[in-house]
Amino acid sequence: MTLHKMLLLLGLLSCIPPGVAADGLPAAEWAAREMRYIASQFPGRLAGAEREFAAAEYLHIQLSSMGYQTHTQAFDTEYNYVFANNVRQRRLLQSRNVIATKPGVSGQVIVIGAHFDTATTLHEVHEGVFGGEQLQGLDDNASGVGVMLALARELANAPVQHTLKFVAFGAKELGMKGSQAYLDSLPPAERSRTLLMVNLDSLLTGDALYFNAGKRTVAANPAAGAARDRALALAAALGIDARSNPGLHPDYPAGTGCCSDQESFDKAGIPVLAVEATNWSLGKGDGYMQTALPGVTGGSSWHRPDIDNLARLPQLLPGRLEQRARDSLRILLPFLLEASGARPAP
Ligand SMILES: [Zn+2]
């Protein structure tokens, strides 16, 4: 083999996504590798940007290679901003969800979702440089997508009673557009057969894992908090520090979360389990301050290219990717096996 051919081959080998090549890895290490891969290979994956499409392609390949029936759901949406001088800017664009299905036998459905887009900035809209900024979104939300993929990988052969749908949502950062588009696309019968939505968003920077229910569904029927209570009980039995919103802020009642794709489902009357890492006891008690760690100035890494990246976050929080992936999977795997009717949790 000539040197040229060898270099070419090495180049090709390095293009193999780690998840595909590393199938022997334990689930948590595998999830952490997915987080790193998505953050590093698809930075600036904001709604409508080329990198959002490329990330969707990657997720499609990963989920279908696990044996899931996988399809991409494109939807039209828009940026709609009002600038300081009251100038309105509207920009139409297309985003997409990636949906992987494992059919059950009961006719009922459990959705496990995580958004894969990153936030955008007014500067990007103004300059028309979508994807130009290098926000890696490691915490928000390569972390949730990595854990979702690992759950899909672990559950691919589980004998589920209820259908599992893994949905990677686009355009969350424009106001939960992907989850709304998903719900809008469902026939009313499937909506009413959706038992639960589990949302994974930002699992790294925050001081602890939180499990919350939906504000509206719980207000209508406290039984909608059952998934939250079950996840917390599993965490307690495993000795994992998992919490629920203590309700220090009047707008966010105890035990309920906010501000991610589960809200679309909560509004549609579907019980939700919102999984995130933050610290609801800090700041205004609204969940927006993730940590008191001095290196995270202001207490939050959300939407910050300077912190939410592979150079900075693992330096501030050594071992955090693997640890959070492990904790999340140790709770959520038995939880989902039980909730889907595949196997009772220990
Ligand atoms: Zn997020």
Side-chain angles (χ1 to χ4, degrees):
M1 189 184 293
T2 65
L3 181 64
H4 177 76
K5 272 190 184 160
M6 202 149 85
L7 288 173
L8 203 65
L9 184 62
L10 282 172
L12 283 174
L13 285 173
S14 69
C15 293
I16 296 172
V20 174
D23 219 36
L25 278 182
E29 280 67 25
W30 191 88
R33 281 187 69 166
E34 290 298 311
M35 294 176 195
R36 290 190 181 92
Y37 188 79
I38 291 162
S40 64
Q41 298 304 303
F42 311 104
R45 50 188 183 281
L46 42 122
E50 242 174 71
R51 288 215 188 98
E52 193 206 33
F53 289 3
E57 279 298 300
Y58 174 70
L59 297 172
H60 191 291
I61 290 167
Q62 285 293 65
L63 288 161
S64 53
S65 75
M66 294 171 196
Y68 288 91
Q69 301 165 8
T70 308
H71 72 280
T72 298
Q73 176 181 56
F75 57 93
D76 294 322
T77 184
E78 62 183 24
Y79 288 91
N80 209 336
Y81 285 114
V82 182
F83 289 86
N85 54 5
N86 244 352
V87 172
R88 206 169 264 282
Q89 178 137 4
R90 191 162 170 245
R91 197 178 285 266
L92 302 179
L93 60 102
Q94 196 179 63
S95 179
R96 55 197 60 196
N97 299 324
V98 182
I99 303 168
T101 303
K102 177 181 173 60
V105 290
S106 72
Q108 293 178 300
V109 181
I110 295 174
V111 175
I112 301 109
H115 77 87
F116 66 96
D117 65 313
T118 51
T120 184
T121 62
L122 284 178
H123 167 78
E124 287 170 311
V125 175
H126 206 51
E127 302 297 321
V129 287
F130 298 125
E133 292 211 356
Q134 299 298 300
L135 176 56
Q136 285 192 352
L138 173 60
D139 179 41
D140 184 13
N141 187 26
S143 65
V145 176
V147 168
M148 184 187 79
L149 288 173
L151 287 168
R153 181 175 174 256
E154 295 298 309
L155 293 167
N157 297 312
V160 296
Q161 300 296 304
H162 307 318
T163 294
L164 296 181
K165 287 200 174 192
F166 293 91
V167 189
F169 296 114
K172 179 261 164 186
E173 302 291 3
L174 297 185
M176 282 66 100
K177 302 295 190 194
S179 44
Q180 194 56 54
Y182 171 79
L183 280 165
D184 291 346
S185 75
L186 292 184
E190 184 172 336
R191 263 197 199 216
S192 59
R193 290 197 311 262
T194 303
L195 295 175
L196 175 70
M197 190 271 180
V198 179
N199 192 62
L200 305 160
D201 195 350
S202 304
L203 304 179
L204 300 176
T205 306
D207 289 333
L209 277 178
Y210 279 79
F211 293 93
N212 285 312
K215 185 171 155 176
R216 286 177 177 78
T217 41
V218 163
N221 178 6
R228 169 200 61 208
D229 298 342
R230 185 67 184 129
L232 288 170
L234 286 167
L238 290 160
I240 297 168
D241 177 14
R243 309 176 193 174
S244 200
N245 169 19
L248 302 177
H249 192 294
D251 292 347
Y252 309 107
T256 70
C258 88
C259 313
S260 187
D261 288 299
Q262 81 274 358
E263 278 197 352
S264 306
F265 291 77
D266 184 46
K267 280 181 196 155
I270 296 167
V272 303
L273 174 63
V275 186
E276 65 177 346
T278 185
N279 192 332
W280 282 83
S281 299
L282 295 175
K284 296 177 188 158
D286 58 2
Y288 271 99
M289 194 165 163
Q290 297 173 287
T291 179
L293 195 74
V296 184
T297 48
S300 163
S301 68
W302 277 311
H303 308 173
R304 291 178 57 180
D306 61 325
I307 295 186
D308 195 6
N309 65 57
L310 279 163
R312 193 78 182 111
L313 214 53
Q315 190 185 51
L316 289 167
L317 301 162
R320 180 62 66 89
L321 274 69
E322 281 77 9
Q323 185 60 49
R324 274 290 155 71
R326 192 171 303 121
D327 288 351
S328 306
L329 291 166
R330 284 178 73 203
I331 299 164
L332 290 171
L333 264 176
F335 172 85
L336 285 169
L337 284 165
E338 183 178 74
S340 65
R343 189 192 307 158

